[in-house]
Amino acid sequence: MLRLLFVFSASFSLSYLLLWGTDGEASPAFGNINAVLFVLGAMFGALSLAFFSYVEGVMKDVPKKLKVQNFELYSLVISSLTDLKREVISNVLLVVVLLLVAFFAGAVGEMDFSHRLSYLSYLAWVIQSVRGACFLSVIVVVCVQLAGFVTANSLRAEVSMYGE
């Protein structure tokens, strides 16, 4: 959770600094983020479903005789894989929340009252920075999920090599 807060805060800061440094000229880059986020979210959902099924398969590949031979090792492997499955589910929920936050931030940014506050360009930059932070955070979550897939793939190779 702390890592997520750091990523979101750093992404927000980078987005805001980009808008501030360009005096708002970079605003169009944040205008179409929702379209990209929805595509990323759909791809991430499909990837997560495949990854979850893959981890299930790895769990089934763990030899049952290991449970009798070395119960501590068996329980460690199963616990690690269960944690990985739990992380997949929490990452999906996180991406859904980030998509919703980006959507609502975009909707607030497009409302009439926010256009009437044109002298408060800093408020518009904050809203756009939230969208940018959501976008960058989703990219980080996708990368973490892919790293988990690489870990599961390595574990499956180990289980296959030494399984029987």
Side-chain angles (χ1 to χ4, degrees), residues 6-109:
F6 173 74
V7 166
F8 191 83
S9 299
S11 300
F12 178 84
S13 299
L14 287 173
S15 298
Y16 191 83
L17 282 173
L18 176 66
L19 288 165
W20 177 76
T22 62
D23 198 30
E25 294 294 321
S27 290
F30 295 92
N32 295 325
I33 282 182
N34 282 349
V36 175
L37 273 175
F38 292 140
V39 171
L40 267 175
M43 288 174 34
F44 180 76
L47 171 75
S48 296
L49 180 63
F51 183 45
F52 191 86
S53 297
Y54 187 80
V55 172
E56 264 307 304
V58 172
M59 283 181 81
K60 290 177 184 173
D61 287 348
V62 176
K64 300 298 180 213
K65 70 178 184 178
L66 182 61
K67 187 176 186 179
V68 175
Q69 292 173 346
N70 191 346
F71 182 74
E72 291 173 8
L73 181 61
Y74 179 81
S75 110
L76 178 67
V77 169
I78 296 300
S79 172
S80 297
L81 289 169
T82 302
D83 289 344
L84 195 54
K85 284 177 20 181
R86 199 172 298 125
E87 183 179 341
V88 169
I89 292 169
S90 65
N91 284 347
V92 169
L93 291 175
L94 174 62
V95 167
V96 168
V97 167
L98 289 171
L99 287 171
L100 289 172
V101 168
F103 174 77
F104 285 117
V108 167

Side-chain angles (χ1 to χ4, degrees), residues 85-164:
K85 284 177 20 181
R86 199 172 298 125
E87 183 179 341
V88 169
I89 292 169
S90 65
N91 284 347
V92 169
L93 291 175
L94 174 62
V95 167
V96 168
V97 167
L98 289 171
L99 287 171
L100 289 172
V101 168
F103 174 77
F104 285 117
V108 167
E110 309 243 340
M111 289 181 177
D112 285 338
F113 83 89
S114 64
H115 291 294
R116 281 183 259 143
L117 300 175
S118 61
Y119 60 91
L120 290 177
S121 62
Y122 298 115
L123 179 63
W125 294 349
V126 166
I127 291 170
Q128 290 175 342
S129 295
V130 167
R131 294 171 81 188
C134 289
F135 175 69
L136 292 174
S137 297
V138 165
I139 289 175
V140 168
V141 170
V142 168
C143 290
V144 166
Q145 191 93 320
L146 289 173
F149 184 74
V150 169
T151 301
N153 196 24
S154 297
L155 183 58
R156 178 170 247 171
E158 289 289 324
V159 166
S160 296
M161 190 176 295
Y162 301 109
E164 296 296 327

